[in-house]
Amino acid sequence: MALTDKQRKMADYIIGTRATAPANVADQHPELFDAWKNGETVAAGDRRSYAGITYEAVQSHTTQADWTPDATPALWKRVYEGEWPEWVQPTGAHDAYAAGAKVTHGGKRWTSDVDSNVWEPGVYGWTEF
């Protein structure tokens, strides 16, 4: 079945807005994003789907077979739905938590008290919500 001109324009519009889609849309619809592939040059902010999950490039790089999004938090971060994503150990300044960031960890909700927070909730720099 061929698309009408109006449907084609709408599809082009949706494709054009993928990079700025809200986290809840990106998380719920990884099929809207190009699949991660080896050997592709990506820029910071580019989004790709991998294993049914949407990821966003943290920094520009050329993908490599052993640098998959799920295995390289220095290069990729998961695009989460919801206000309280699961805490993930930062690997450096590029993915440290900002003051006010909200996370879930150990079955509890936490907010970051400081900028550039790389500490585990409950250890330093977090307040239980």
Side-chain angles (χ1 to χ4, degrees):
M1 181 165 127
L3 296 177
T4 66
D5 285 341
K6 188 173 184 175
Q7 289 170 324
R8 199 170 302 110
K9 286 178 183 179
M10 181 58 87
D12 290 343
Y13 173 77
I14 291 169
I15 289 168
T17 61
R18 291 181 298 182
T20 58
N24 65 324
V25 173
D27 187 35
Q28 292 176 15
H29 298 284
E31 72 278 0
L32 294 176
F33 300 91
D34 294 335
W36 178 91
K37 62 183 176 185
N38 185 27
E40 177 185 25
T41 299
V42 294
D46 285 352
R47 291 178 173 175
R48 296 292 181 267
S49 64
Y50 182 79
I53 297 172
T54 306
Y55 291 90
E56 185 174 303
V58 173
Q59 57 183 307
S60 299
H61 66 281
T62 299
T63 61
Q64 296 185 22
D66 55 346
W67 291 359
T68 58
D70 60 333
T72 52
L75 298 175
W76 296 95
K77 66 180 179 179
R78 182 174 175 181
V79 179
Y80 285 99
E81 174 189 9
E83 188 175 8
W84 300 91
E86 188 65 32
W87 176 81
V88 176
Q89 176 67 60
T91 59
H94 63 278
D95 64 346
Y97 291 94
K102 299 176 180 180
V103 298
T104 302
H105 182 64
K108 299 177 182 178
R109 291 180 172 182
W110 302 86
T111 56
S112 176
D113 299 327
V114 296
D115 277 325
S116 303
N117 192 347
V118 297
W119 293 90
E120 181 178 1
V123 174
Y124 171 79
W126 295 90
T127 299
E128 186 178 342
F129 187 79

